[in-house]
PDB file of all heavy atoms in Angstrom:
ATOM      1  N   SER A 278     -50.964 -18.991 -10.655  1.00 39.00           N
ATOM      2  CA  SER A 278     -50.967 -19.793 -11.870  1.00 39.00           C
ATOM      3  C   SER A 278     -52.295 -19.705 -12.606  1.00 39.00           C
ATOM      4  O   SER A 278     -52.408 -20.080 -13.761  1.00 39.00           O
ATOM      5  CB  SER A 278     -50.673 -21.263 -11.532  1.00 39.00           C
ATOM      6  OG  SER A 278     -51.651 -21.755 -10.643  1.00 39.00           O
ATOM      7  N   ALA A 279     -53.328 -19.205 -11.906  1.00 39.00           N
ATOM      8  CA  ALA A 279     -54.627 -19.047 -12.558  1.00 39.00           C
ATOM      9  C   ALA A 279     -54.565 -17.948 -13.599  1.00 39.00           C
ATOM     10  O   ALA A 279     -53.894 -16.943 -13.420  1.00 39.00           O
ATOM     11  CB  ALA A 279     -55.693 -18.730 -11.513  1.00 39.00           C
ATOM     12  N   GLN A 280     -55.266 -18.115 -14.679  1.00 37.00           N
ATOM     13  CA  GLN A 280     -55.258 -17.115 -15.728  1.00 37.00           C
ATOM     14  C   GLN A 280     -56.118 -15.919 -15.355  1.00 37.00           C
ATOM     15  O   GLN A 280     -57.038 -16.008 -14.552  1.00 37.00           O
ATOM     16  CB  GLN A 280     -55.790 -17.715 -17.034  1.00 37.00           C
ATOM     17  CG  GLN A 280     -54.773 -18.606 -17.747  1.00 37.00           C
ATOM     18  CD  GLN A 280     -55.240 -18.912 -19.152  1.00 37.00           C
ATOM     19  OE1 GLN A 280     -56.406 -19.180 -19.388  1.00 37.00           O
ATOM     20  NE2 GLN A 280     -54.321 -18.848 -20.088  1.00 37.00           N
ATOM     21  N   HIS A 281     -55.780 -14.790 -15.933  1.00 40.00           N
ATOM     22  CA  HIS A 281     -56.609 -13.603 -15.813  1.00 40.00           C
ATOM     23  C   HIS A 281     -57.959 -13.894 -16.450  1.00 40.00           C
ATOM     24  O   HIS A 281     -58.077 -14.725 -17.350  1.00 40.00           O
ATOM     25  CB  HIS A 281     -55.895 -12.440 -16.518  1.00 40.00           C
ATOM     26  CG  HIS A 281     -56.595 -11.130 -16.375  1.00 40.00           C
ATOM     27  ND1 HIS A 281     -57.400 -10.618 -17.355  1.00 40.00           N
ATOM     28  CD2 HIS A 281     -56.625 -10.260 -15.363  1.00 40.00           C
ATOM     29  CE1 HIS A 281     -57.887  -9.451 -16.959  1.00 40.00           C
ATOM     30  NE2 HIS A 281     -57.433  -9.213 -15.758  1.00 40.00           N
ATOM     31  N   THR A 282     -58.984 -13.218 -15.969  1.00 42.00           N
ATOM     32  CA  THR A 282     -60.335 -13.515 -16.448  1.00 42.00           C
ATOM     33  C   THR A 282     -60.474 -13.304 -17.950  1.00 42.00           C
ATOM     34  O   THR A 282     -61.342 -13.902 -18.582  1.00 42.00           O
ATOM     35  CB  THR A 282     -61.352 -12.622 -15.716  1.00 42.00           C
ATOM     36  OG1 THR A 282     -60.931 -11.258 -15.819  1.00 42.00           O
ATOM     37  CG2 THR A 282     -61.432 -13.008 -14.256  1.00 42.00           C
ATOM     38  N   SER A 283     -59.644 -12.474 -18.529  1.00 43.00           N
ATOM     39  CA  SER A 283     -59.714 -12.257 -19.972  1.00 43.00           C
ATOM     40  C   SER A 283     -58.907 -13.290 -20.736  1.00 43.00           C
ATOM     41  O   SER A 283     -58.850 -13.247 -21.960  1.00 43.00           O
ATOM     42  CB  SER A 283     -59.186 -10.851 -20.301  1.00 43.00           C
ATOM     43  OG  SER A 283     -57.809 -10.780 -19.988  1.00 43.00           O
ATOM     44  N   GLY A 284     -58.271 -14.213 -20.026  1.00 46.00           N
ATOM     45  CA  GLY A 284     -57.447 -15.211 -20.677  1.00 46.00           C
ATOM     46  C   GLY A 284     -56.032 -14.733 -20.901  1.00 46.00           C
ATOM     47  O   GLY A 284     -55.252 -15.402 -21.580  1.00 46.00           O
ATOM     48  N   GLU A 285     -55.664 -13.575 -20.370  1.00 55.00           N
ATOM     49  CA  GLU A 285     -54.337 -13.014 -20.556  1.00 55.00           C
ATOM     50  C   GLU A 285     -53.523 -13.138 -19.282  1.00 55.00           C
ATOM     51  O   GLU A 285     -54.057 -13.195 -18.188  1.00 55.00           O
ATOM     52  CB  GLU A 285     -54.446 -11.532 -20.941  1.00 55.00           C
ATOM     53  CG  GLU A 285     -55.213 -11.292 -22.239  1.00 55.00           C
ATOM     54  CD  GLU A 285     -55.392  -9.814 -22.511  1.00 55.00           C
ATOM     55  OE1 GLU A 285     -55.025  -9.012 -21.645  1.00 55.00           O
ATOM     56  OE2 GLU A 285     -55.915  -9.475 -23.580  1.00 55.00           O
ATOM     57  N   HIS A 286     -52.207 -13.173 -19.459  1.00 72.00           N
ATOM     58  CA  HIS A 286     -51.292 -13.084 -18.336  1.00 72.00           C
ATOM     59  C   HIS A 286     -50.730 -11.662 -18.305  1.00 72.00           C
ATOM     60  O   HIS A 286     -50.741 -10.950 -19.312  1.00 72.00           O
ATOM     61  CB  HIS A 286     -50.153 -14.101 -18.488  1.00 72.00           C
ATOM     62  CG  HIS A 286     -50.586 -15.511 -18.297  1.00 72.00           C
ATOM     63  ND1 HIS A 286     -50.858 -16.051 -17.062  1.00 72.00           N
ATOM     64  CD2 HIS A 286     -50.800 -16.505 -19.200  1.00 72.00           C
ATOM     65  CE1 HIS A 286     -51.212 -17.308 -17.196  1.00 72.00           C
ATOM     66  NE2 HIS A 286     -51.193 -17.614 -18.494  1.00 72.00           N
ATOM     67  N   HIS A 287     -50.243 -11.276 -17.171  1.00 80.00           N
ATOM     68  CA  HIS A 287     -49.675  -9.935 -17.039  1.00 80.00           C
ATOM     69  C   HIS A 287     -48.180 -10.005 -16.810  1.00 80.00           C
ATOM     70  O   HIS A 287     -47.664 -10.985 -16.271  1.00 80.00           O
ATOM     71  CB  HIS A 287     -50.344  -9.173 -15.881  1.00 80.00           C
ATOM     72  CG  HIS A 287     -51.757  -8.812 -16.173  1.00 80.00           C
ATOM     73  ND1 HIS A 287     -52.822  -9.504 -15.634  1.00 80.00           N
ATOM     74  CD2 HIS A 287     -52.291  -7.847 -16.961  1.00 80.00           C
ATOM     75  CE1 HIS A 287     -53.946  -8.971 -16.065  1.00 80.00           C
ATOM     76  NE2 HIS A 287     -53.655  -7.973 -16.873  1.00 80.00           N
ATOM     77  N   TYR A 288     -47.531  -8.946 -17.212  1.00 83.00           N
ATOM     78  CA  TYR A 288     -46.086  -8.827 -17.041  1.00 83.00           C
ATOM     79  C   TYR A 288     -45.807  -7.793 -15.969  1.00 83.00           C
ATOM     80  O   TYR A 288     -46.266  -6.651 -16.069  1.00 83.00           O
ATOM     81  CB  TYR A 288     -45.440  -8.393 -18.366  1.00 83.00           C
ATOM     82  CG  TYR A 288     -43.941  -8.244 -18.293  1.00 83.00           C
ATOM     83  CD1 TYR A 288     -43.109  -9.359 -18.361  1.00 83.00           C
ATOM     84  CD2 TYR A 288     -43.368  -6.985 -18.150  1.00 83.00           C
ATOM     85  CE1 TYR A 288     -41.735  -9.217 -18.291  1.00 83.00           C
ATOM     86  CE2 TYR A 288     -41.991  -6.833 -18.076  1.00 83.00           C
ATOM     87  CZ  TYR A 288     -41.178  -7.959 -18.155  1.00 83.00           C
ATOM     88  OH  TYR A 288     -39.819  -7.813 -18.076  1.00 83.00           O
ATOM     89  N   PHE A 289     -45.097  -8.214 -14.920  1.00 81.00           N
ATOM     90  CA  PHE A 289     -44.784  -7.280 -13.848  1.00 81.00           C
ATOM     91  C   PHE A 289     -43.638  -6.357 -14.265  1.00 81.00           C
ATOM     92  O   PHE A 289     -42.657  -6.801 -14.857  1.00 81.00           O
ATOM     93  CB  PHE A 289     -44.345  -8.035 -12.594  1.00 81.00           C
ATOM     94  CG  PHE A 289     -45.465  -8.335 -11.656  1.00 81.00           C
ATOM     95  CD1 PHE A 289     -46.032  -9.590 -11.612  1.00 81.00           C
ATOM     96  CD2 PHE A 289     -45.952  -7.364 -10.796  1.00 81.00           C
ATOM     97  CE1 PHE A 289     -47.061  -9.887 -10.744  1.00 81.00           C
ATOM     98  CE2 PHE A 289     -46.970  -7.638  -9.925  1.00 81.00           C
ATOM     99  CZ  PHE A 289     -47.537  -8.903  -9.892  1.00 81.00           C
ATOM    100  N   ALA A 290     -43.770  -5.094 -13.932  1.00 84.00           N
ATOM    101  CA  ALA A 290     -42.714  -4.124 -14.183  1.00 84.00           C
ATOM    102  C   ALA A 290     -42.805  -3.022 -13.136  1.00 84.00           C
ATOM    103  O   ALA A 290     -43.900  -2.599 -12.768  1.00 84.00           O
ATOM    104  CB  ALA A 290     -42.832  -3.529 -15.586  1.00 84.00           C
ATOM    105  N   GLY A 291     -41.676  -2.569 -12.682  1.00 87.00           N
ATOM    106  CA  GLY A 291     -41.652  -1.451 -11.746  1.00 87.00           C
ATOM    107  C   GLY A 291     -41.501  -0.162 -12.522  1.00 87.00           C
ATOM    108  O   GLY A 291     -40.494   0.053 -13.207  1.00 87.00           O
ATOM    109  N   LEU A 292     -42.503   0.686 -12.464  1.00 92.00           N
ATOM    110  CA  LEU A 292     -42.488   1.931 -13.239  1.00 92.00           C
ATOM    111  C   LEU A 292     -41.836   3.053 -12.439  1.00 92.00           C
ATOM    112  O   LEU A 292     -42.204   3.294 -11.286  1.00 92.00           O
ATOM    113  CB  LEU A 292     -43.914   2.335 -13.616  1.00 92.00           C
ATOM    114  CG  LEU A 292     -44.717   1.340 -14.462  1.00 92.00           C
ATOM    115  CD1 LEU A 292     -46.093   1.927 -14.765  1.00 92.00           C
ATOM    116  CD2 LEU A 292     -43.982   0.997 -15.750  1.00 92.00           C
ATOM    117  N   ASP A 293     -40.917   3.737 -13.069  1.00 94.00           N
ATOM    118  CA  ASP A 293     -40.329   4.937 -12.464  1.00 94.00           C
ATOM    119  C   ASP A 293     -41.167   6.128 -12.918  1.00 94.00           C
ATOM    120  O   ASP A 293     -41.022   6.617 -14.041  1.00 94.00           O
ATOM    121  CB  ASP A 293     -38.878   5.097 -12.892  1.00 94.00           C
ATOM    122  CG  ASP A 293     -38.222   6.329 -12.260  1.00 94.00           C
ATOM    123  OD1 ASP A 293     -38.892   7.017 -11.458  1.00 94.00           O
ATOM    124  OD2 ASP A 293     -37.050   6.605 -12.574  1.00 94.00           O
ATOM    125  N   LEU A 294     -42.053   6.589 -12.040  1.00 96.00           N
ATOM    126  CA  LEU A 294     -42.960   7.684 -12.391  1.00 96.00           C
ATOM    127  C   LEU A 294     -42.514   9.023 -11.825  1.00 96.00           C
ATOM    128  O   LEU A 294     -43.253  10.006 -11.900  1.00 96.00           O
ATOM    129  CB  LEU A 294     -44.373   7.360 -11.890  1.00 96.00           C
ATOM    130  CG  LEU A 294     -45.040   6.134 -12.530  1.00 96.00           C
ATOM    131  CD1 LEU A 294     -46.386   5.871 -11.878  1.00 96.00           C
ATOM    132  CD2 LEU A 294     -45.205   6.329 -14.033  1.00 96.00           C
ATOM    133  N   THR A 295     -41.317   9.078 -11.287  1.00 97.00           N
ATOM    134  CA  THR A 295     -40.834  10.303 -10.661  1.00 97.00           C
ATOM    135  C   THR A 295     -40.854  11.471 -11.639  1.00 97.00           C
ATOM    136  O   THR A 295     -40.216  11.429 -12.706  1.00 97.00           O
ATOM    137  CB  THR A 295     -39.401  10.122 -10.131  1.00 97.00           C
ATOM    138  OG1 THR A 295     -39.375   9.012  -9.243  1.00 97.00           O
ATOM    139  CG2 THR A 295     -38.932  11.374  -9.406  1.00 97.00           C
ATOM    140  N   GLY A 296     -41.612  12.519 -11.300  1.00 97.00           N
ATOM    141  CA  GLY A 296     -41.678  13.711 -12.126  1.00 97.00           C
ATOM    142  C   GLY A 296     -42.484  13.551 -13.406  1.00 97.00           C
ATOM    143  O   GLY A 296     -42.573  14.491 -14.198  1.00 97.00           O
ATOM    144  N   ARG A 297     -43.068  12.366 -13.606  1.00 97.00           N
ATOM    145  CA  ARG A 297     -43.804  12.121 -14.845  1.00 97.00           C
ATOM    146  C   ARG A 297     -45.309  12.315 -14.631  1.00 97.00           C
ATOM    147  O   ARG A 297     -45.834  12.043 -13.559  1.00 97.00           O
ATOM    148  CB  ARG A 297     -43.509  10.715 -15.361  1.00 97.00           C
ATOM    149  CG  ARG A 297     -42.041  10.559 -15.783  1.00 97.00           C
ATOM    150  CD  ARG A 297     -41.778   9.203 -16.421  1.00 97.00           C
ATOM    151  NE  ARG A 297     -40.480   9.195 -17.080  1.00 97.00           N
ATOM    152  CZ  ARG A 297     -39.359   8.723 -16.528  1.00 97.00           C
ATOM    153  NH1 ARG A 297     -39.392   8.215 -15.316  1.00 97.00           N
ATOM    154  NH2 ARG A 297     -38.222   8.763 -17.192  1.00 97.00           N
ATOM    155  N   ARG A 298     -45.965  12.748 -15.697  1.00 98.00           N
ATOM    156  CA  ARG A 298     -47.388  13.076 -15.606  1.00 98.00           C
ATOM    157  C   ARG A 298     -48.240  11.813 -15.556  1.00 98.00           C
ATOM    158  O   ARG A 298     -48.143  10.950 -16.423  1.00 98.00           O
ATOM    159  CB  ARG A 298     -47.811  13.937 -16.800  1.00 98.00           C
ATOM    160  CG  ARG A 298     -49.259  14.423 -16.740  1.00 98.00           C
ATOM    161  CD  ARG A 298     -49.533  15.434 -17.848  1.00 98.00           C
ATOM    162  NE  ARG A 298     -50.875  15.985 -17.734  1.00 98.00           N
ATOM    163  CZ  ARG A 298     -51.900  15.675 -18.536  1.00 98.00           C
ATOM    164  NH1 ARG A 298     -51.716  14.810 -19.529  1.00 98.00           N
ATOM    165  NH2 ARG A 298     -53.085  16.219 -18.359  1.00 98.00           N
ATOM    166  N   VAL A 299     -49.054  11.724 -14.524  1.00 98.00           N
ATOM    167  CA  VAL A 299     -50.017  10.641 -14.375  1.00 98.00           C
ATOM    168  C   VAL A 299     -51.392  11.269 -14.260  1.00 98.00           C
ATOM    169  O   VAL A 299     -51.605  12.173 -13.451  1.00 98.00           O
ATOM    170  CB  VAL A 299     -49.709   9.778 -13.137  1.00 98.00           C
ATOM    171  CG1 VAL A 299     -50.838   8.780 -12.890  1.00 98.00           C
ATOM    172  CG2 VAL A 299     -48.382   9.052 -13.307  1.00 98.00           C
ATOM    173  N   VAL A 300     -52.333  10.782 -15.063  1.00 98.00           N
ATOM    174  CA  VAL A 300     -53.686  11.348 -15.074  1.00 98.00           C
ATOM    175  C   VAL A 300     -54.648  10.365 -14.422  1.00 98.00           C
ATOM    176  O   VAL A 300     -54.690   9.181 -14.784  1.00 98.00           O
ATOM    177  CB  VAL A 300     -54.143  11.660 -16.510  1.00 98.00           C
ATOM    178  CG1 VAL A 300     -55.596  12.147 -16.505  1.00 98.00           C
ATOM    179  CG2 VAL A 300     -53.232  12.711 -17.136  1.00 98.00           C
ATOM    180  N   VAL A 301     -55.402  10.864 -13.469  1.00 98.00           N
ATOM    181  CA  VAL A 301     -56.426  10.074 -12.793  1.00 98.00           C
ATOM    182  C   VAL A 301     -57.770  10.723 -13.110  1.00 98.00           C
ATOM    183  O   VAL A 301     -58.003  11.884 -12.755  1.00 98.00           O
ATOM    184  CB  VAL A 301     -56.198  10.036 -11.266  1.00 98.00           C
ATOM    185  CG1 VAL A 301     -57.311   9.244 -10.585  1.00 98.00           C
ATOM    186  CG2 VAL A 301     -54.843   9.424 -10.949  1.00 98.00           C
ATOM    187  N   VAL A 302     -58.629  10.001 -13.786  1.00 98.00           N
ATOM    188  CA  VAL A 302     -59.948  10.529 -14.137  1.00 98.00           C
ATOM    189  C   VAL A 302     -60.951   9.965 -13.135  1.00 98.00           C
ATOM    190  O   VAL A 302     -61.201   8.756 -13.085  1.00 98.00           O
ATOM    191  CB  VAL A 302     -60.340  10.147 -15.572  1.00 98.00           C
ATOM    192  CG1 VAL A 302     -61.742  10.676 -15.892  1.00 98.00           C
ATOM    193  CG2 VAL A 302     -59.322  10.697 -16.568  1.00 98.00           C
ATOM    194  N   GLY A 303     -61.503  10.861 -12.332  1.00 97.00           N
ATOM    195  CA  GLY A 303     -62.393  10.463 -11.239  1.00 97.00           C
ATOM    196  C   GLY A 303     -61.713  10.780  -9.919  1.00 97.00           C
ATOM    197  O   GLY A 303     -60.489  10.668  -9.792  1.00 97.00           O
ATOM    198  N   ALA A 304     -62.512  11.202  -8.958  1.00 96.00           N
ATOM    199  CA  ALA A 304     -61.936  11.591  -7.659  1.00 96.00           C
ATOM    200  C   ALA A 304     -62.791  11.062  -6.518  1.00 96.00           C
ATOM    201  O   ALA A 304     -62.979  11.718  -5.499  1.00 96.00           O
ATOM    202  CB  ALA A 304     -61.814  13.111  -7.569  1.00 96.00           C
ATOM    203  N   GLY A 305     -63.292   9.852  -6.697  1.00 94.00           N
ATOM    204  CA  GLY A 305     -64.096   9.216  -5.663  1.00 94.00           C
ATOM    205  C   GLY A 305     -63.269   8.307  -4.785  1.00 94.00           C
ATOM    206  O   GLY A 305     -62.072   8.516  -4.583  1.00 94.00           O
ATOM    207  N   GLY A 306     -63.928   7.257  -4.284  1.00 92.00           N
ATOM    208  CA  GLY A 306     -63.263   6.358  -3.353  1.00 92.00           C
ATOM    209  C   GLY A 306     -62.084   5.624  -3.946  1.00 92.00           C
ATOM    210  O   GLY A 306     -61.082   5.389  -3.271  1.00 92.00           O
ATOM    211  N   VAL A 307     -62.172   5.228  -5.225  1.00 93.00           N
ATOM    212  CA  VAL A 307     -61.054   4.518  -5.854  1.00 93.00           C
ATOM    213  C   VAL A 307     -59.839   5.426  -5.955  1.00 93.00           C
ATOM    214  O   VAL A 307     -58.710   5.041  -5.632  1.00 93.00           O
ATOM    215  CB  VAL A 307     -61.451   3.989  -7.250  1.00 93.00           C
ATOM    216  CG1 VAL A 307     -60.244   3.366  -7.947  1.00 93.00           C
ATOM    217  CG2 VAL A 307     -62.573   2.979  -7.134  1.00 93.00           C
ATOM    218  N   ALA A 308     -60.048   6.658  -6.408  1.00 95.00           N
ATOM    219  CA  ALA A 308     -58.947   7.610  -6.499  1.00 95.00           C
ATOM    220  C   ALA A 308     -58.342   7.869  -5.120  1.00 95.00           C
ATOM    221  O   ALA A 308     -57.118   7.990  -4.970  1.00 95.00           O
ATOM    222  CB  ALA A 308     -59.433   8.916  -7.118  1.00 95.00           C
ATOM    223  N   GLN A 309     -59.200   7.958  -4.133  1.00 95.00           N
ATOM    224  CA  GLN A 309     -58.727   8.201  -2.769  1.00 95.00           C
ATOM    225  C   GLN A 309     -57.758   7.105  -2.325  1.00 95.00           C
ATOM    226  O   GLN A 309     -56.805   7.376  -1.587  1.00 95.00           O
ATOM    227  CB  GLN A 309     -59.930   8.256  -1.828  1.00 95.00           C
ATOM    228  CG  GLN A 309     -59.590   8.618  -0.403  1.00 95.00           C
ATOM    229  CD  GLN A 309     -60.846   8.824   0.427  1.00 95.00           C
ATOM    230  OE1 GLN A 309     -61.852   9.316  -0.062  1.00 95.00           O
ATOM    231  NE2 GLN A 309     -60.788   8.436   1.686  1.00 95.00           N
ATOM    232  N   ARG A 310     -57.969   5.863  -2.788  1.00 90.00           N
ATOM    233  CA  ARG A 310     -57.083   4.766  -2.430  1.00 90.00           C
ATOM    234  C   ARG A 310     -55.816   4.737  -3.287  1.00 90.00           C
ATOM    235  O   ARG A 310     -54.745   4.407  -2.815  1.00 90.00           O
ATOM    236  CB  ARG A 310     -57.811   3.429  -2.566  1.00 90.00           C
ATOM    237  CG  ARG A 310     -58.951   3.242  -1.590  1.00 90.00           C
ATOM    238  CD  ARG A 310     -59.385   1.786  -1.531  1.00 90.00           C
ATOM    239  NE  ARG A 310     -59.759   1.253  -2.833  1.00 90.00           N
ATOM    240  CZ  ARG A 310     -60.979   1.289  -3.322  1.00 90.00           C
ATOM    241  NH1 ARG A 310     -61.954   1.863  -2.627  1.00 90.00           N
ATOM    242  NH2 ARG A 310     -61.247   0.766  -4.512  1.00 90.00           N
ATOM    243  N   ARG A 311     -55.957   5.066  -4.573  1.00 92.00           N
ATOM    244  CA  ARG A 311     -54.845   4.900  -5.506  1.00 92.00           C
ATOM    245  C   ARG A 311     -53.873   6.080  -5.524  1.00 92.00           C
ATOM    246  O   ARG A 311     -52.669   5.896  -5.719  1.00 92.00           O
ATOM    247  CB  ARG A 311     -55.400   4.692  -6.923  1.00 92.00           C
ATOM    248  CG  ARG A 311     -56.326   3.489  -7.065  1.00 92.00           C
ATOM    249  CD  ARG A 311     -55.557   2.192  -7.106  1.00 92.00           C
ATOM    250  NE  ARG A 311     -56.460   1.048  -7.111  1.00 92.00           N
ATOM    251  CZ  ARG A 311     -57.066   0.555  -8.179  1.00 92.00           C
ATOM    252  NH1 ARG A 311     -56.877   1.123  -9.360  1.00 92.00           N
ATOM    253  NH2 ARG A 311     -57.859  -0.492  -8.080  1.00 92.00           N
ATOM    254  N   VAL A 312     -54.395   7.281  -5.372  1.00 95.00           N
ATOM    255  CA  VAL A 312     -53.551   8.476  -5.540  1.00 95.00           C
ATOM    256  C   VAL A 312     -52.405   8.554  -4.536  1.00 95.00           C
ATOM    257  O   VAL A 312     -51.287   8.925  -4.908  1.00 95.00           O
ATOM    258  CB  VAL A 312     -54.427   9.752  -5.501  1.00 95.00           C
ATOM    259  CG1 VAL A 312     -53.567  11.010  -5.376  1.00 95.00           C
ATOM    260  CG2 VAL A 312     -55.290   9.827  -6.755  1.00 95.00           C
ATOM    261  N   PRO A 313     -52.613   8.250  -3.252  1.00 93.00           N
ATOM    262  CA  PRO A 313     -51.487   8.376  -2.309  1.00 93.00           C
ATOM    263  C   PRO A 313     -50.243   7.588  -2.715  1.00 93.00           C
ATOM    264  O   PRO A 313     -49.111   8.072  -2.563  1.00 93.00           O
ATOM    265  CB  PRO A 313     -52.069   7.847  -0.995  1.00 93.00           C
ATOM    266  CG  PRO A 313     -53.531   8.153  -1.094  1.00 93.00           C
ATOM    267  CD  PRO A 313     -53.862   7.915  -2.526  1.00 93.00           C
ATOM    268  N   ARG A 314     -50.409   6.382  -3.268  1.00 90.00           N
ATOM    269  CA  ARG A 314     -49.235   5.605  -3.679  1.00 90.00           C
ATOM    270  C   ARG A 314     -48.569   6.234  -4.895  1.00 90.00           C
ATOM    271  O   ARG A 314     -47.345   6.187  -5.044  1.00 90.00           O
ATOM    272  CB  ARG A 314     -49.630   4.158  -3.963  1.00 90.00           C
ATOM    273  CG  ARG A 314     -48.418   3.245  -4.128  1.00 90.00           C
ATOM    274  CD  ARG A 314     -48.804   1.792  -4.132  1.00 90.00           C
ATOM    275  NE  ARG A 314     -49.345   1.361  -2.848  1.00 90.00           N
ATOM    276  CZ  ARG A 314     -48.597   1.045  -1.797  1.00 90.00           C
ATOM    277  NH1 ARG A 314     -47.284   1.130  -1.868  1.00 90.00           N
ATOM    278  NH2 ARG A 314     -49.168   0.652  -0.671  1.00 90.00           N
ATOM    279  N   LEU A 315     -49.358   6.817  -5.787  1.00 95.00           N
ATOM    280  CA  LEU A 315     -48.768   7.523  -6.929  1.00 95.00           C
ATOM    281  C   LEU A 315     -47.970   8.736  -6.455  1.00 95.00           C
ATOM    282  O   LEU A 315     -46.884   9.015  -6.979  1.00 95.00           O
ATOM    283  CB  LEU A 315     -49.874   7.953  -7.896  1.00 95.00           C
ATOM    284  CG  LEU A 315     -50.590   6.817  -8.641  1.00 95.00           C
ATOM    285  CD1 LEU A 315     -51.815   7.358  -9.361  1.00 95.00           C
ATOM    286  CD2 LEU A 315     -49.639   6.146  -9.629  1.00 95.00           C
ATOM    287  N   ILE A 316     -48.516   9.446  -5.475  1.00 95.00           N
ATOM    288  CA  ILE A 316     -47.778  10.575  -4.900  1.00 95.00           C
ATOM    289  C   ILE A 316     -46.481  10.084  -4.285  1.00 95.00           C
ATOM    290  O   ILE A 316     -45.407  10.669  -4.475  1.00 95.00           O
ATOM    291  CB  ILE A 316     -48.633  11.293  -3.839  1.00 95.00           C
ATOM    292  CG1 ILE A 316     -49.857  11.946  -4.484  1.00 95.00           C
ATOM    293  CG2 ILE A 316     -47.803  12.340  -3.091  1.00 95.00           C
ATOM    294  CD1 ILE A 316     -50.848  12.510  -3.489  1.00 95.00           C
ATOM    295  N   GLY A 317     -46.575   8.968  -3.537  1.00 91.00           N
ATOM    296  CA  GLY A 317     -45.389   8.412  -2.903  1.00 91.00           C
ATOM    297  C   GLY A 317     -44.337   7.978  -3.897  1.00 91.00           C
ATOM    298  O   GLY A 317     -43.141   7.963  -3.585  1.00 91.00           O
ATOM    299  N   ALA A 318     -44.760   7.617  -5.123  1.00 92.00           N
ATOM    300  CA  ALA A 318     -43.818   7.212  -6.158  1.00 92.00           C
ATOM    301  C   ALA A 318     -43.184   8.418  -6.854  1.00 92.00           C
ATOM    302  O   ALA A 318     -42.340   8.242  -7.739  1.00 92.00           O
ATOM    303  CB  ALA A 318     -44.523   6.332  -7.185  1.00 92.00           C
ATOM    304  N   GLY A 319     -43.602   9.613  -6.461  1.00 95.00           N
ATOM    305  CA  GLY A 319     -43.009  10.822  -7.038  1.00 95.00           C
ATOM    306  C   GLY A 319     -43.673  11.291  -8.316  1.00 95.00           C
ATOM    307  O   GLY A 319     -43.147  12.178  -9.005  1.00 95.00           O
ATOM    308  N   ALA A 320     -44.819  10.704  -8.670  1.00 97.00           N
ATOM    309  CA  ALA A 320     -45.493  11.090  -9.909  1.00 97.00           C
ATOM    310  C   ALA A 320     -46.073  12.494  -9.813  1.00 97.00           C
ATOM    311  O   ALA A 320     -46.403  12.978  -8.722  1.00 97.00           O
ATOM    312  CB  ALA A 320     -46.611  10.091 -10.228  1.00 97.00           C
TER     313      ALA A 320
END
């Protein structure tokens, strides 16, 4: 129920990224954590 720090709320949506182009700029520790789930989603 707490607001986002910018004062905005977010809308949840499940994205179908199968076969779709996803660009990740940077290949450090953050990318190392995020990319595997994108791969698992078929992106």
Side-chain angles (χ1 to χ4, degrees):
S278 59
Q280 283 192 318
H281 185 261
T282 52
S283 66
E285 300 175 354
H286 289 285
H287 290 103
Y288 180 80
F289 268 101
L292 300 181
D293 181 3
L294 296 176
T295 304
R297 294 185 167 97
R298 184 172 185 254
V299 172
V300 176
V301 178
V302 178
V307 175
Q309 185 173 325
R310 294 195 304 270
R311 301 283 174 82
V312 168
R314 191 169 294 280
L315 292 170
I316 294 172

